[in-house]
């Protein structure tokens, strides 16, 4: 605040400026506004993190559940691309995010010596039917199969592309 | 020139003061309300992520026990899960299982527990007979798990080496049934505001549901395998979209197959 700042000679000078000028007020208000906007922005960020975290947890469980399903298939079904293709049309679990957003890719390859191309099946985001991209001809005679399940999606937080994947090796055995 | 022009009034009038105080009060009120709202929001965000960790912990616990179970049953309200697990440990030492081939397939028995394949039960009767069970008085109190025997059943008394009385009646008549005696029993249940795991009567609190955690598990039995599906929801502090909408958005799903069931 400026006080006693009058100047002799001007008409206004007779009247002291005891208050605050509009510019000063505007600057003060702007500073307070910036402070609050930044705090609310941080809060908004927290809420977006929660959404992002929910999606992450859903996908993490989805990957585990899909692997769990594949582990429990009979070996003949596991090595059949068309069987896995039809299995993938049903989401791994009931999470709403899984049915809506991520692209799911299941890759099967004979282990330890795969064919040049893996068996790869893709279910695009929100899609109802999976596509067989390629097949590994060594799968039919393999005793071990390497299975990779990958979910990829675009995060609402900053539009970043994210992915979650897990890989395991499943052996042929006598299963009911 | 008047005196007041030479000595300018540097104070405030009452009106100015009142207006200034009123404006200040409004600003302070806004700041207070905003602070409280922000505190609540940050606290709710913190709780949400904390509860989400608890959801994952419940899924982890349950999956571990379901995987190694012989038998898993869920109560009709889906909130209590009973797992019958072999005794992999004998005290602190690793148990050595005995493997036997029977006409019904391979049977693995762990110390302190054994599996027979010739059990005979009668509908609505508590008597169980088995030619190979070799019951002794040491078996009293041991858990009994098998088809048509209610979950949580134990041996109440032993009549002789081939006949025992159970704590509950069989639900159907069977012969040559596979029944396991003395295995570890793990029960998951909701106690007050907590999710508890009870292993052979010892209670462990695995998650506290400050936000009303609600796990629900269904056991699914197929012809060749068995698995459980679990969904865990909770009531978050946020209620912007309505309590029901907020709750449905928190569900975490999990599927677990019984590894021990997949024999043959």
């Amino acid at each position: 605040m400026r006080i006693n700042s009058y100047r002799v000679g001007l008409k206004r000078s007779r009247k002291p400026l005891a208050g605050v000028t509009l510019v000063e007020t505007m600057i003060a208000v702007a500073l307070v506004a910036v402070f609050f906007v930044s705090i609310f922005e941080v809060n908004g960020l927290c809420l977006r993190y929660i959404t992002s975290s929910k999606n992450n947890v859903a996908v993490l469980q989805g990957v585990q559940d899909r692997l769990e399903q594949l582990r429990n298939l009979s070996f003949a079904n596991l090595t059949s691309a068309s069987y896995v293709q039809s299995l993938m049309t049903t989401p791994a679990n009931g999470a709403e995010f899984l049915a809506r957003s991520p692209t799911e890719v299941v890759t099967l390859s004979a282990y330890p010596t795969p064919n040049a191309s893996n068996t790869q099946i893709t279910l695009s985001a929100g899609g109802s039917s999976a596509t067989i991209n390629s097949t590994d001809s060594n799968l039919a005679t393999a005793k071990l199969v390497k299975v990779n399940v990958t979910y990829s999606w675009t995060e609402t937080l900053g539009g970043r592309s994210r992915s979650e994947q897990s890989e395991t090796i499943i052996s042929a055995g006598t299963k009911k | 020139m008047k005196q007041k022009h030479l000595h300018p009034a540097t104070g405030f009038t009452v009106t100015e003061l009142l207006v200034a105080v009123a404006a200040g009060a409004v600003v302070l009120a806004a700041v207070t309300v905003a602070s409280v709202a922000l505190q609540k929001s940050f606290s709710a965000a913190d709780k949400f992520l904390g509860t989400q960790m608890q959801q994952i912990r419940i899924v982890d616990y349950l999956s571990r026990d379901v995987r190694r179970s012989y038998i898993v049953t869920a109560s009709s309200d889906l909130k209590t899960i009973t797992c019958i697990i072999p005794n992999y440990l004998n005290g602190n030492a690793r148990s050595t299982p005995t493997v036997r081939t029977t006409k019904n397939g391979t049977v693995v028995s762990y110390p302190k527990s054994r599996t027979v394949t010739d059990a005979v039960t009668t509908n609505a009767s508590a008597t169980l007979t088995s030619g190979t069970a070799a019951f002794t008085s040491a078996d009293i109190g041991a858990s009994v798990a098998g088809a048509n025997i209610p979950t949580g059943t134990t041996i109440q008394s032993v009549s002789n080496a081939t006949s025992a009385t159970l704590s509950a009646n069989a639900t159907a008549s069977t012969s040559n049934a596979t029944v396991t005696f003395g295995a570890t029993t793990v029960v998951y249940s909701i106690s007050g505001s907590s999710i508890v795991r009870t292993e052979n009567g010892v209670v462990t609190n695995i998650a506290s549901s400050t936000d009303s955690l609600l796990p629900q598990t269904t056991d699914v039995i197929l012809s060749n395998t068995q698995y459980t599906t679990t969904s865990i929801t909770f009531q978050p502090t946020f209620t912007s979209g309505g309590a029901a909408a907020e709750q449905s958005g928190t569900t975490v799903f999990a599927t677990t197959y019984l590894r021990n069931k997949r024999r043959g």
Side-chain angles (χ1 to χ4, degrees):
Chain A
M1 256 188 340
R2 288 191 298 171
I3 54 169
N4 285 336
S5 61
Y6 66 95
R7 281 164 286 173
V8 179
L10 291 174
K11 204 172 182 181
R12 287 186 61 203
S13 67
R14 300 276 168 96
K15 217 172 180 180
L17 292 171
V20 184
T21 66
L22 180 62
V23 174
E24 286 169 333
T25 315
M26 296 288 277
I27 290 170
V29 167
L31 282 174
V32 171
V34 165
F35 173 71
F36 270 95
V37 165
S38 62
I39 295 232
F40 276 103
E41 189 51 43
V42 169
N43 188 45
L45 197 68
C46 275
L47 298 180
R48 290 199 290 278
Y49 262 121
I50 281 188
T51 311
S52 171
S53 174
K54 272 161 71 171
N55 295 347
N56 264 324
V57 169
V59 171
L60 190 68
Q61 284 303 130
V63 167
Q64 294 301 324
D65 285 359
R66 184 65 85 199
L67 269 185
E68 189 80 353
Q69 279 182 342
L70 294 172
R71 272 192 204 111
N72 282 276
L73 292 181
S74 71
F75 206 70
N77 287 342
L78 177 68
T79 50
S80 153
S82 57
Y83 190 91
V84 177
Q85 181 191 25
S86 64
L87 183 81
M88 282 173 67
T89 55
T90 311
N93 64 37
E96 182 261 346
F97 183 73
L98 284 189
R100 173 168 51 88
S101 210
T103 298
E104 180 179 359
V105 179
V106 171
T107 310
L108 307 162
S109 54
Y111 187 84
T113 45
N115 189 280
S117 64
N118 299 323
T119 294
Q120 185 175 300
I121 304 140
T122 304
L123 178 67
S124 52
S128 56
S129 64
T131 312
I132 300 174
N133 308 114
S134 56
T135 50
D136 180 346
S137 57
N138 286 4
L139 265 190
T141 53
K143 294 295 176 200
L144 289 169
V145 171
K146 186 164 77 174
V147 180
N148 179 297
V149 177
T150 305
Y151 281 87
S152 48
W153 73 103
T154 305
E155 194 51 78
T156 46
L157 185 68
R160 294 175 187 133
S161 53
R162 308 287 301 270
S163 71
E164 186 76 55
Q165 64 172 309
S166 191
E167 197 165 82
T168 191
I169 293 172
I170 300 174
S171 70
T174 49
K175 298 174 190 172
K176 280 182 183 174
Chain B
M1 194 176 281
K2 289 178 182 176
Q3 186 73 15
K4 70 176 183 180
H5 288 151
L6 292 173
H7 300 282
T10 55
F12 301 104
T13 65
V14 172
T15 317
E16 283 172 337
L17 203 62
L18 283 174
V19 170
V21 167
V26 167
V27 170
L28 272 179
V31 168
T32 310
V33 168
S35 302
V36 170
L38 280 169
Q39 282 284 351
K40 278 186 178 170
S41 184
F42 281 127
S43 154
D46 191 41
K47 271 187 177 177
F48 195 103
L49 292 173
T51 313
Q52 212 167 34
M53 287 300 107
Q54 293 190 338
Q55 287 180 304
I56 295 172
R57 186 160 69 239
I58 296 169
V59 166
D60 274 353
Y61 262 92
L62 199 57
S63 298
R64 189 189 61 176
D65 283 331
V66 167
R67 281 198 184 115
R68 58 203 185 117
S69 292
Y70 286 135
I71 298 165
V72 174
T73 46
S75 63
S76 57
D77 66 357
L78 308 181
K79 290 174 188 166
T80 303
I81 304 109
T82 305
C83 309
I84 306 295
I85 301 171
N87 295 316
Y88 291 112
L89 288 178
N90 187 4
N92 289 326
R94 186 177 168 182
S95 294
T96 308
T98 48
V99 183
R100 286 181 293 132
T101 306
T102 71
K103 60 184 175 185
N104 288 348
T106 308
V107 170
V108 181
S109 291
Y110 283 83
K112 292 186 179 175
S113 68
R114 61 192 186 279
T115 301
V116 298
T117 55
D118 61 349
V120 179
T121 58
T122 310
N123 188 26
S125 163
T127 303
L128 183 144
T129 57
S130 162
T132 58
F135 292 117
T136 66
S137 57
D139 289 326
I140 293 171
S143 65
V144 182
N148 304 318
I149 295 170
T151 305
T153 302
T154 55
I155 295 179
Q156 199 166 52
S157 63
V158 173
S159 311
N160 53 52
T162 59
S163 176
T165 306
L166 309 181
S167 63
N169 291 343
T171 54
S173 298
T174 40
S175 58
N176 290 333
T178 301
V179 174
T180 300
F181 304 104
T184 299
T185 308
V186 174
V187 180
Y188 285 88
S189 55
I190 301 173
S191 169
S193 61
S194 299
I195 313 298
V196 296
R197 174 183 184 273
T198 311
E199 180 173 338
N200 285 340
V202 180
V203 179
T204 316
N205 191 346
I206 58 166
S208 73
S209 60
T210 48
D211 284 346
S212 305
L213 273 168
L214 183 63
Q216 293 201 320
T217 299
T218 311
D219 54 318
V220 183
I221 301 171
L222 302 176
S223 58
N224 61 348
T225 188
Q226 183 181 358
Y227 65 96
T228 61
T229 57
T230 304
S231 69
I232 304 171
T233 54
F234 67 93
Q235 181 62 61
T237 316
F238 304 113
T239 49
S240 61
E246 296 296 345
Q247 187 167 1
S248 68
T250 65
T251 312
V252 167
F253 294 87
T255 308
T256 312
Y257 283 80
L258 275 71
R259 299 286 196 271
N260 274 332
K261 199 71 180 168
R262 207 188 61 193
R263 297 178 225 123

